[in-house]
Amino acid sequence: MSNLLAIAVHFFKRQFRSIPVPITSYAGRTVIVTGANGGLGLESARHFARLGAARVILACRNTERGEAAKADIERTLTPSSTILEVWPLDLCSFDSVRAFCRRADKELDRLDVLLANAAVLSIGSPKMAEGYEMQVLVNVITNFLMVLMLLPLMRSTAARWNVEPAVTVVASEAHFFTKFVEKDQPRIFESFRPGRAMHDRYGTTKLLDILLVQELAERLDAASAGSSPIVVNTANPGLCESSLFRDIHTIGQFLLSVAKLCIGRTSEEGSRALMAAVAGGRESHGKYVDSGKVDDPSPFVLSEKGKEVQKKVWDELVTLLSWYEDIETLVSGNVTQVVGRPCL
Protein backbone atom coordinates (compact mmCIF):
# COMPACT_ATOMS: atom_id res chain seq x y z
CA MET A 1 0.00 0.00 0.00
CA SER A 2 2.84 2.42 0.85
CA ASN A 3 4.37 1.69 -2.56
CA LEU A 4 1.11 2.52 -4.34
CA LEU A 5 0.77 5.71 -2.31
CA ALA A 6 4.32 6.77 -3.23
CA ILE A 7 3.61 6.10 -6.93
CA ALA A 8 0.34 8.06 -6.73
CA VAL A 9 2.09 11.03 -5.10
CA HIS A 10 4.82 10.86 -7.75
CA PHE A 11 2.18 10.86 -10.50
CA PHE A 12 0.27 13.83 -9.11
CA LYS A 13 3.43 15.89 -8.62
CA ARG A 14 4.52 15.28 -12.22
CA GLN A 15 1.02 15.89 -13.55
CA PHE A 16 1.07 19.43 -12.18
CA ARG A 17 4.56 20.14 -13.55
CA SER A 18 4.51 23.06 -15.99
CA ILE A 19 6.02 22.21 -19.38
CA PRO A 20 7.23 25.18 -21.45
CA VAL A 21 6.19 25.71 -25.04
CA PRO A 22 9.05 24.29 -27.19
CA ILE A 23 11.40 26.80 -28.82
CA THR A 24 14.17 24.60 -30.28
CA SER A 25 14.61 25.32 -33.99
CA TYR A 26 14.26 22.45 -36.46
CA ALA A 27 15.18 24.52 -39.49
CA GLY A 28 16.41 22.28 -42.30
CA ARG A 29 15.56 19.11 -40.37
CA THR A 30 13.47 16.13 -41.47
CA VAL A 31 11.08 14.62 -38.94
CA ILE A 32 8.88 11.51 -38.79
CA VAL A 33 5.97 11.43 -36.34
CA THR A 34 3.98 8.20 -36.05
CA GLY A 35 0.33 8.30 -35.09
CA ALA A 36 0.25 11.89 -36.32
CA ASN A 37 -3.39 11.98 -37.39
CA GLY A 38 -4.61 13.15 -33.96
CA GLY A 39 -3.86 13.85 -30.32
CA LEU A 40 -0.25 14.12 -29.19
CA GLY A 41 1.13 13.12 -32.59
CA LEU A 42 -0.80 15.82 -34.42
CA GLU A 43 0.19 18.51 -31.92
CA SER A 44 3.84 17.43 -32.02
CA ALA A 45 3.83 17.57 -35.83
CA ARG A 46 2.33 21.05 -35.57
CA HIS A 47 5.15 22.11 -33.23
CA PHE A 48 7.81 20.77 -35.60
CA ALA A 49 6.27 22.71 -38.48
CA ARG A 50 5.97 25.85 -36.36
CA LEU A 51 9.64 25.51 -35.40
CA GLY A 52 10.77 25.46 -39.02
CA ALA A 53 11.29 21.79 -39.88
CA ALA A 54 11.97 21.44 -43.60
CA ARG A 55 9.96 18.23 -43.90
CA VAL A 56 7.55 16.49 -41.54
CA ILE A 57 6.27 13.00 -42.37
CA LEU A 58 2.89 12.22 -40.79
CA ALA A 59 3.01 8.42 -40.49
CA CYS A 60 -0.56 7.14 -40.11
CA ARG A 61 -2.48 3.91 -40.48
CA ASN A 62 -5.49 5.84 -41.74
CA THR A 63 -4.21 8.15 -44.49
CA GLU A 64 -7.57 9.95 -44.81
CA ARG A 65 -7.27 11.08 -41.21
CA GLY A 66 -3.64 11.87 -41.90
CA GLU A 67 -4.61 14.17 -44.76
CA ALA A 68 -7.15 15.88 -42.48
CA ALA A 69 -4.41 16.38 -39.89
CA LYS A 70 -2.10 17.80 -42.55
CA ALA A 71 -4.81 20.25 -43.67
CA ASP A 72 -5.39 21.28 -40.05
CA ILE A 73 -1.69 22.04 -39.52
CA GLU A 74 -1.47 23.96 -42.78
CA ARG A 75 -4.56 25.97 -41.87
CA THR A 76 -3.21 26.99 -38.45
CA LEU A 77 0.35 27.71 -39.59
CA THR A 78 -0.21 29.56 -42.85
CA PRO A 79 2.19 30.65 -44.18
CA SER A 80 4.75 27.88 -43.53
CA SER A 81 7.74 26.64 -45.49
CA THR A 82 7.49 23.14 -43.99
CA ILE A 83 6.69 20.32 -46.41
CA LEU A 84 4.06 18.08 -44.80
CA GLU A 85 3.57 14.58 -46.19
CA VAL A 86 1.24 11.76 -45.19
CA TRP A 87 2.78 8.28 -45.47
CA PRO A 88 0.91 5.04 -44.71
CA LEU A 89 2.24 3.06 -41.76
CA ASP A 90 0.34 0.16 -40.22
CA LEU A 91 2.15 -1.11 -37.14
CA CYS A 92 -0.09 -4.19 -37.20
CA SER A 93 1.87 -5.37 -40.24
CA PHE A 94 5.54 -6.29 -40.55
CA ASP A 95 5.33 -5.73 -44.31
CA SER A 96 3.90 -2.23 -43.86
CA VAL A 97 6.68 -1.25 -41.45
CA ARG A 98 9.37 -2.57 -43.76
CA ALA A 99 7.84 -0.81 -46.78
CA PHE A 100 7.67 2.44 -44.83
CA CYS A 101 11.33 2.23 -43.75
CA ARG A 102 12.54 1.33 -47.23
CA ARG A 103 10.60 4.27 -48.64
CA ALA A 104 12.24 6.54 -46.08
CA ASP A 105 15.67 5.26 -47.06
CA LYS A 106 14.92 5.81 -50.73
CA GLU A 107 13.16 9.19 -50.59
CA LEU A 108 14.69 11.01 -47.62
CA ASP A 109 18.17 12.45 -47.86
CA ARG A 110 18.25 12.84 -44.07
CA LEU A 111 16.30 11.93 -40.92
CA ASP A 112 16.86 14.07 -37.84
CA VAL A 113 13.95 13.06 -35.60
CA LEU A 114 11.86 9.94 -35.19
CA LEU A 115 9.02 10.45 -32.72
CA ALA A 116 7.52 6.99 -32.17
CA ASN A 117 4.19 8.10 -30.76
CA ALA A 118 1.70 5.59 -32.21
CA ALA A 119 0.24 3.11 -29.72
CA VAL A 120 -2.91 1.14 -28.95
CA LEU A 121 -4.69 0.37 -25.68
CA SER A 122 -7.15 -2.51 -25.69
CA ILE A 123 -8.87 -4.04 -22.68
CA GLY A 124 -12.40 -5.03 -23.62
CA SER A 125 -11.72 -6.56 -27.04
CA PRO A 126 -8.12 -7.79 -27.27
CA LYS A 127 -6.99 -8.92 -30.70
CA MET A 128 -4.14 -10.78 -32.36
CA ALA A 129 -2.07 -9.58 -35.32
CA GLU A 130 0.91 -11.26 -37.00
CA GLY A 131 0.67 -13.98 -34.33
CA TYR A 132 1.05 -11.59 -31.37
CA GLU A 133 -1.34 -9.77 -29.06
CA MET A 134 -1.98 -6.45 -30.80
CA GLN A 135 -0.80 -4.09 -28.05
CA VAL A 136 2.49 -5.95 -27.77
CA LEU A 137 2.92 -6.00 -31.53
CA VAL A 138 2.13 -2.31 -32.11
CA ASN A 139 3.55 -0.74 -28.96
CA VAL A 140 6.74 -2.80 -28.90
CA ILE A 141 7.60 -5.29 -31.64
CA THR A 142 6.90 -3.42 -34.87
CA ASN A 143 7.61 -0.12 -33.15
CA PHE A 144 11.19 -1.23 -32.59
CA LEU A 145 11.46 -2.85 -36.00
CA MET A 146 10.80 0.64 -37.38
CA VAL A 147 13.27 2.30 -35.01
CA LEU A 148 16.00 -0.20 -35.82
CA MET A 149 15.46 -0.11 -39.58
CA LEU A 150 15.75 3.68 -39.59
CA LEU A 151 19.05 3.74 -37.67
CA PRO A 152 21.28 3.61 -40.79
CA LEU A 153 19.55 6.67 -42.26
CA MET A 154 19.94 8.54 -38.97
CA ARG A 155 23.55 7.44 -38.66
CA SER A 156 24.34 8.77 -42.13
CA THR A 157 22.48 12.00 -41.27
CA ALA A 158 24.69 12.49 -38.23
CA ALA A 159 27.87 11.98 -40.25
CA ARG A 160 26.87 14.04 -43.28
CA TRP A 161 25.49 17.10 -41.49
CA ASN A 162 27.31 16.89 -38.17
CA VAL A 163 24.06 16.74 -36.19
CA GLU A 164 22.72 14.55 -33.39
CA PRO A 165 19.54 12.80 -34.58
CA ALA A 166 16.98 11.88 -31.95
CA VAL A 167 14.68 8.89 -31.45
CA THR A 168 11.96 9.36 -28.84
CA VAL A 169 9.67 6.46 -27.98
CA VAL A 170 6.53 7.50 -26.12
CA ALA A 171 6.20 5.72 -22.78
CA SER A 172 3.74 6.14 -19.91
CA GLU A 173 3.58 6.37 -16.12
CA ALA A 174 1.43 3.24 -16.43
CA HIS A 175 4.70 1.28 -16.40
CA PHE A 176 4.95 2.03 -12.66
CA PHE A 177 1.77 0.06 -11.98
CA THR A 178 2.23 -3.10 -14.05
CA LYS A 179 3.00 -6.38 -12.31
CA PHE A 180 4.59 -7.75 -15.50
CA VAL A 181 3.68 -11.31 -14.56
CA GLU A 182 5.22 -12.57 -17.81
CA LYS A 183 8.77 -11.51 -16.93
CA ASP A 184 9.88 -14.99 -15.84
CA GLN A 185 8.39 -16.84 -18.79
CA PRO A 186 10.97 -18.60 -20.99
CA ARG A 187 9.63 -16.73 -24.04
CA ILE A 188 8.17 -13.44 -22.91
CA PHE A 189 6.74 -12.16 -26.18
CA GLU A 190 5.00 -15.44 -26.90
CA SER A 191 3.45 -15.48 -23.41
CA PHE A 192 1.32 -12.40 -24.10
CA ARG A 193 -2.12 -13.59 -25.09
CA PRO A 194 -5.62 -12.07 -24.97
CA GLY A 195 -7.42 -12.69 -21.70
CA ARG A 196 -4.30 -12.96 -19.56
CA ALA A 197 -3.56 -9.93 -17.34
CA MET A 198 -5.11 -7.61 -19.93
CA HIS A 199 -5.59 -4.86 -17.34
CA ASP A 200 -1.79 -4.79 -17.05
CA ARG A 201 -0.95 -5.16 -20.73
CA TYR A 202 -0.66 -1.52 -21.84
CA GLY A 203 1.54 -0.64 -18.85
CA THR A 204 3.66 -3.70 -19.54
CA THR A 205 4.22 -2.66 -23.16
CA LYS A 206 5.39 0.75 -21.99
CA LEU A 207 7.71 -0.88 -19.48
CA LEU A 208 9.16 -2.97 -22.30
CA ASP A 209 9.67 0.20 -24.35
CA ILE A 210 11.72 1.72 -21.55
CA LEU A 211 13.82 -1.41 -21.06
CA LEU A 212 14.49 -1.73 -24.79
CA VAL A 213 15.45 1.92 -25.21
CA GLN A 214 17.92 1.60 -22.35
CA GLU A 215 19.46 -1.47 -23.94
CA LEU A 216 19.51 0.14 -27.38
CA ALA A 217 21.31 3.19 -25.99
CA GLU A 218 23.97 0.98 -24.41
CA ARG A 219 24.48 -0.98 -27.62
CA LEU A 220 24.63 2.12 -29.81
CA ASP A 221 27.28 3.58 -27.51
CA ALA A 222 29.26 0.34 -27.59
CA ALA A 223 29.08 0.26 -31.39
CA SER A 224 30.41 3.83 -31.51
CA ALA A 225 33.20 3.18 -29.01
CA GLY A 226 31.68 5.33 -26.30
CA SER A 227 29.12 7.83 -27.56
CA SER A 228 26.43 7.14 -30.13
CA PRO A 229 25.78 9.84 -32.74
CA ILE A 230 22.06 9.12 -32.21
CA VAL A 231 20.23 10.04 -29.01
CA VAL A 232 17.46 7.64 -27.96
CA ASN A 233 15.10 8.15 -25.05
CA THR A 234 11.56 7.59 -23.81
CA ALA A 235 8.99 10.26 -22.96
CA ASN A 236 6.02 10.25 -20.60
CA PRO A 237 3.47 12.95 -21.50
CA GLY A 238 1.31 12.28 -18.44
CA LEU A 239 -2.46 11.96 -18.47
CA CYS A 240 -3.68 13.84 -21.53
CA GLU A 241 -6.74 14.25 -23.70
CA SER A 242 -6.24 11.56 -26.31
CA SER A 243 -8.01 9.06 -28.53
CA LEU A 244 -5.86 6.35 -26.94
CA PHE A 245 -8.61 5.54 -24.45
CA ARG A 246 -11.44 5.15 -26.97
CA ASP A 247 -11.76 1.37 -26.46
CA ILE A 248 -12.07 1.48 -22.67
CA HIS A 249 -15.47 0.40 -21.32
CA THR A 250 -18.11 2.82 -19.99
CA ILE A 251 -17.14 2.88 -16.30
CA GLY A 252 -13.48 3.32 -17.18
CA GLN A 253 -14.36 6.12 -19.58
CA PHE A 254 -16.29 7.88 -16.82
CA LEU A 255 -13.42 7.63 -14.34
CA LEU A 256 -10.94 8.79 -16.97
CA SER A 257 -13.16 11.74 -17.87
CA VAL A 258 -13.26 12.82 -14.24
CA ALA A 259 -9.48 12.44 -13.89
CA LYS A 260 -8.81 14.34 -17.12
CA LEU A 261 -11.19 17.09 -16.05
CA CYS A 262 -9.44 17.49 -12.70
CA ILE A 263 -5.76 17.01 -13.55
CA GLY A 264 -5.49 16.14 -17.24
CA ARG A 265 -3.43 17.95 -19.82
CA THR A 266 -4.64 18.97 -23.24
CA SER A 267 -3.12 17.19 -26.25
CA GLU A 268 -1.04 20.28 -26.93
CA GLU A 269 0.29 20.39 -23.36
CA GLY A 270 1.12 16.68 -23.54
CA SER A 271 2.93 17.17 -26.84
CA ARG A 272 5.26 19.62 -25.11
CA ALA A 273 6.55 16.73 -23.01
CA LEU A 274 7.35 14.78 -26.17
CA MET A 275 9.05 17.79 -27.74
CA ALA A 276 11.14 18.27 -24.59
CA ALA A 277 12.39 14.69 -24.87
CA VAL A 278 13.22 15.10 -28.57
CA ALA A 279 15.25 18.20 -27.70
CA GLY A 280 16.75 16.56 -24.59
CA GLY A 281 20.20 16.05 -26.08
CA ARG A 282 23.00 13.90 -24.74
CA GLU A 283 21.89 14.08 -21.11
CA SER A 284 18.63 12.32 -22.04
CA HIS A 285 20.32 9.45 -23.93
CA GLY A 286 18.86 6.15 -22.75
CA LYS A 287 16.78 8.00 -20.16
CA TYR A 288 13.14 8.35 -19.19
CA VAL A 289 11.92 11.91 -19.70
CA ASP A 290 8.89 12.45 -17.47
CA SER A 291 6.73 15.52 -18.13
CA GLY A 292 9.60 17.33 -19.80
CA LYS A 293 12.48 16.44 -17.47
CA VAL A 294 14.84 13.46 -17.13
CA ASP A 295 13.58 11.42 -14.19
CA ASP A 296 13.79 7.94 -12.69
CA PRO A 297 11.59 5.23 -14.18
CA SER A 298 9.97 2.62 -11.94
CA PRO A 299 11.96 0.83 -9.24
CA PHE A 300 11.73 -2.38 -11.26
CA VAL A 301 13.49 -0.78 -14.25
CA LEU A 302 16.35 0.32 -11.96
CA SER A 303 16.63 -3.00 -10.12
CA GLU A 304 19.02 -5.86 -10.80
CA LYS A 305 16.05 -7.95 -11.87
CA GLY A 306 15.06 -5.20 -14.25
CA LYS A 307 18.52 -5.19 -15.83
CA GLU A 308 18.38 -8.96 -16.20
CA VAL A 309 14.97 -8.82 -17.88
CA GLN A 310 16.16 -5.94 -20.08
CA LYS A 311 18.88 -8.13 -21.61
CA LYS A 312 16.50 -11.06 -21.95
CA VAL A 313 13.82 -9.00 -23.70
CA TRP A 314 16.38 -7.49 -26.07
CA ASP A 315 17.74 -10.91 -27.03
CA GLU A 316 14.21 -12.21 -27.61
CA LEU A 317 13.29 -9.21 -29.74
CA VAL A 318 16.43 -9.53 -31.87
CA THR A 319 15.70 -13.22 -32.44
CA LEU A 320 12.08 -12.49 -33.31
CA LEU A 321 12.90 -9.64 -35.71
CA SER A 322 15.80 -11.46 -37.33
CA TRP A 323 13.21 -13.20 -39.50
CA TYR A 324 12.75 -9.80 -41.15
CA GLU A 325 16.04 -7.89 -40.84
CA ASP A 326 19.63 -8.32 -39.64
CA ILE A 327 19.04 -6.46 -36.38
CA GLU A 328 22.54 -6.76 -34.94
CA THR A 329 23.95 -5.21 -38.09
CA LEU A 330 21.41 -2.38 -38.03
CA VAL A 331 22.49 -1.52 -34.49
CA SER A 332 26.24 -1.90 -34.97
CA GLY A 333 26.45 -0.40 -38.46
CA ASN A 334 29.46 -2.61 -39.17
CA VAL A 335 28.79 -3.10 -42.88
CA THR A 336 29.08 -0.91 -45.92
CA GLN A 337 25.45 -1.27 -46.90
CA VAL A 338 22.33 -1.57 -44.77
CA VAL A 339 18.79 -1.05 -46.07
CA GLY A 340 20.35 0.37 -49.21
CA ARG A 341 22.35 3.13 -47.51
CA PRO A 342 26.00 3.35 -46.44
CA CYS A 343 26.54 3.25 -42.67
CA LEU A 344 28.91 6.15 -42.19
Side-chain angles (χ1 to χ4, degrees):
M1 183 62 70
S2 60
N3 253 356
L4 284 175
L5 180 61
I7 291 171
V9 170
H10 178 276
F11 165 69
F12 278 99
K13 286 174 66 177
R14 298 302 181 271
Q15 195 66 26
F16 287 105
R17 177 182 285 167
S18 177
I19 309 172
V21 174
I23 58 173
T24 301
S25 172
Y26 290 91
R29 308 298 172 94
T30 297
V31 176
I32 291 175
V33 181
T34 68
N37 57 281
L40 303 181
L42 169 59
E43 296 306 325
S44 297
R46 196 190 314 275
H47 278 304
F48 284 120
R50 177 180 63 80
L51 293 166
R55 194 172 184 180
V56 177
I57 309 299
L58 311 181
C60 309
R61 182 179 62 84
N62 187 317
T63 54
E64 287 186 12
R65 291 180 182 175
E67 291 293 346
K70 173 186 172 183
D72 183 63
I73 295 171
E74 290 173 335
R75 183 170 57 252
T76 57
L77 293 180
T78 304
S80 173
S81 61
T82 300
I83 298 171
L84 295 168
E85 301 177 42
V86 178
W87 288 16
L89 173 66
D90 184 358
L91 289 168
C92 287
S93 164
F94 286 114
D95 287 343
S96 177
V97 173
R98 296 175 75 203
F100 177 89
C101 293
R102 292 185 186 284
R103 179 180 178 182
D105 181 73
K106 181 179 179 181
E107 297 185 21
L108 302 181
D109 63 345
R110 64 187 294 168
L111 179 57
D112 300 89
V113 174
L114 171 60
L115 177 53
N117 162 75
V120 294
L121 187 160
S122 177
I123 295 176
S125 54
K127 300 175 183 177
M128 299 289 287
E130 298 281 20
Y132 297 93
E133 196 275 314
M134 188 179 292
Q135 290 174 100
V136 176
L137 180 73
V138 170
N139 299 356
V140 186
I141 298 172
T142 51
N143 205 26
F144 276 90
L145 176 60
M146 174 190 63
V147 168
L148 297 168
M149 285 190 69
L150 291 173
L151 288 178
L153 176 54
M154 301 188 88
R155 193 177 278 118
S156 68
T157 299
R160 186 175 176 185
W161 280 279
N162 192 29
V163 293
E164 198 170 62
V167 175
T168 293
V169 177
V170 177
S172 169
E173 70 277 336
H175 86 277
F176 276 89
F177 298 93
T178 180
K179 294 180 180 178
F180 192 11
V181 296
E182 301 85 358
K183 61 182 173 292
D184 292 316
Q185 292 293 318
R187 295 182 179 177
I188 292 175
F189 286 105
E190 293 181 12
S191 70
F192 294 113
R193 288 291 181 267
R196 179 177 178 178
M198 288 303 297
H199 64 285
D200 251 4
R201 187 63 50 80
Y202 178 78
T204 300
T205 65
K206 293 304 177 178
L207 174 61
L208 291 172
D209 285 341
I210 293 168
L211 294 175
L212 289 167
V213 163
Q214 288 187 164
E215 185 67 20
L216 176 59
E218 291 177 14
R219 288 174 181 267
L220 286 174
D221 287 345
S224 302
S227 182
S228 163
I230 304 167
V231 169
V232 297
N233 58 36
T234 51
N236 171 34
L239 177 63
C240 307
E241 185 60 43
S242 169
S243 60
L244 177 69
F245 309 111
R246 61 184 175 273
D247 291 334
I248 293 181
H249 53 70
T250 306
I251 295 175
Q253 284 286 4
F254 172 74
L255 294 174
L256 273 169
S257 296
V258 172
K260 286 188 286 186
L261 180 65
C262 296
I263 61 172
R265 293 177 174 139
T266 65
S267 294
E268 188 281 321
E269 289 170 332
S271 73
R272 298 180 196 178
L274 309 189
M275 298 297 293
V278 169
R282 184 56 43 186
E283 70 176 30
S284 72
H285 185 52
K287 305 295 185 181
Y288 173 68
V289 183
D290 190 345
S291 298
K293 294 184 179 180
V294 173
D295 212 332
D296 285 338
S298 70
F300 174 78
V301 174
L302 300 174
S303 69
E304 287 303 313
K305 178 66 173 179
K307 297 298 181 186
E308 175 188 323
V309 174
Q310 175 178 310
K311 304 288 185 187
K312 178 181 179 182
V313 169
W314 174 268
D315 289 342
E316 280 194 33
L317 184 69
V318 168
T319 300
L320 187 165
L321 294 181
S322 290
W323 284 97
Y324 305 96
E325 297 293 330
D326 185 349
I327 300 303
E328 295 289 8
T329 296
L330 291 173
V331 174
S332 68
N334 290 331
V335 292
T336 57
Q337 195 85 1
V338 179
V339 198
R341 182 175 298 272
C343 287
L344 302 175

